[in-house]
Amino acid sequence: MNELELLVDLHRDAERQGPGGDEETRLSVSLSGLSTGEGLKIADIGCGTGAATRVLAEDLGASVTAVDFLPEFLAELSAAAEQAGLDGRIETLAASMDALPFEEQSLDAIWSEGAIYNMGFRKGVESWRRFLKPGGILAVSELTWLTDERPAELQQHWEKQYAEVDTASAKMRILEENGYSPIGYFALPERCWLDNYYRPMQQRFADFLARNAHSTAAQEIVSAEEFEIALYERYSAYVGYGYYVARRTRD
Ligand code: SAH
């Protein structure tokens, strides 16, 4: 297996592929001001196996297009949607987030949890705007510095992993510069990282390594995750995911 196949193998059975929580998705929905009964059309970009997709379809009664470039995750999502009786409201789309096939001004909202970093926050918010109806909602979670200053070890690690990591005020400025009006912000609580993401992942490591005959590549993936987990445990006061809810301006 190559590295991408190994990552799919590690994450496909998971409830989520990044930090998050159903309650926090609901909080973002509440901040968006959207309500049920409006026949909403929403895209969930970088949906993974669809934890947020299901909340959006269920709580808003929306038609949700779940987009990811990995068909293996979309297959899990479809099965879970069917089991929850939500398959009539959720459709999957295998596409890359930097080449989306939506029509201009066709969506009431775009959600994206823990995924926009794959194309970069600035490029993502800039290029997705045209798909939103005027006044439409963008809701994204994104790696964020929680304080003005932080330990050098932490800063170096994340700047190497993701050059755009920044403070909430800097992210909101990018939203404003790209034709959005920020309407809500919160930071994901620690349990979204630890209870919902890292601990379940750690429980999958042993089987993952066994399935892959303890290959060097599999061990390297586990070591990198363990390093990141230890870093988060030490420095969770300084770094987290910010959840940004913004409205497309009307021009
Ligand atoms: N939103 C989900 C998954 C977050 S992990 C959750 O919170 O659980 C990031 C997701 O983005 C993965 O599912 C990955 O397959 C997807 N992804 C990465 N690069 C992508 C790209 N270029 N286009 C579409 N999806 C991408």
Side-chain angles (χ1 to χ4, degrees), residues 15-19 44-48 51 67-70 73 95-98 113-115 117-118:
E15 181 67 21
R16 24 185 93 250
Q17 287 69 38
D44 180 8
I45 300 177
C47 58
V67 186
D68 205 283
F69 76 159
L70 293 176
F73 289 168
S96 184
M97 61 175 73
D98 52 14
E113 293 193 355
Y117 72 90
N118 286 293

Side-chain angles (χ1 to χ4, degrees), residues 185-202:
Y185 170 79
F186 61 95
L188 290 185
E190 248 183 45
R191 69 181 154 68
C192 288
W193 290 73
L194 296 176
D195 301 350
N196 297 355
Y197 182 53
Y198 283 149
R199 299 291 177 246
M201 192 200 307
Q202 285 174 312

Side-chain angles (χ1 to χ4, degrees), residues 158-212:
W158 280 117
E159 280 181 351
K160 201 162 138 225
Q161 296 292 316
Y162 182 46
E164 286 188 52
V165 56
D166 214 331
T167 54
S169 54
K171 298 285 171 189
M172 283 192 210
R173 171 162 276 281
I174 291 172
L175 287 167
E176 289 164 347
E177 286 168 354
N178 284 283
Y180 297 89
S181 183
I183 59 175
Y185 170 79
F186 61 95
L188 290 185
E190 248 183 45
R191 69 181 154 68
C192 288
W193 290 73
L194 296 176
D195 301 350
N196 297 355
Y197 182 53
Y198 283 149
R199 299 291 177 246
M201 192 200 307
Q202 285 174 312
Q203 281 167 13
R204 296 194 303 276
F205 284 157
D207 284 349
F208 168 73
L209 289 169
R211 267 200 309 277
N212 292 288

Side-chain angles (χ1 to χ4, degrees), residues 108-191:
D108 295 288
I110 292 175
W111 249 262
S112 181
E113 293 193 355
I116 196 171
Y117 72 90
N118 286 293
M119 67 182 291
F121 185 84
R122 183 183 288 275
K123 199 162 153 233
V125 302
E126 185 187 2
S127 67
W128 297 350
R129 182 181 189 270
R130 66 179 184 277
F131 304 126
L132 288 172
K133 296 175 185 172
I137 293 292
L138 176 72
V140 295
S141 65
E142 160 82 342
L143 193 73
T144 299
W145 295 134
L146 304 177
T147 53
D148 192 39
E149 290 182 352
R150 65 222 54 106
E153 180 193 14
L154 179 71
Q155 175 129 0
Q156 279 157 17
H157 171 81
W158 280 117
E159 280 181 351
K160 201 162 138 225
Q161 296 292 316
Y162 182 46
E164 286 188 52
V165 56
D166 214 331
T167 54
S169 54
K171 298 285 171 189
M172 283 192 210
R173 171 162 276 281
I174 291 172
L175 287 167
E176 289 164 347
E177 286 168 354
N178 284 283
Y180 297 89
S181 183
I183 59 175
Y185 170 79
F186 61 95
L188 290 185
E190 248 183 45
R191 69 181 154 68

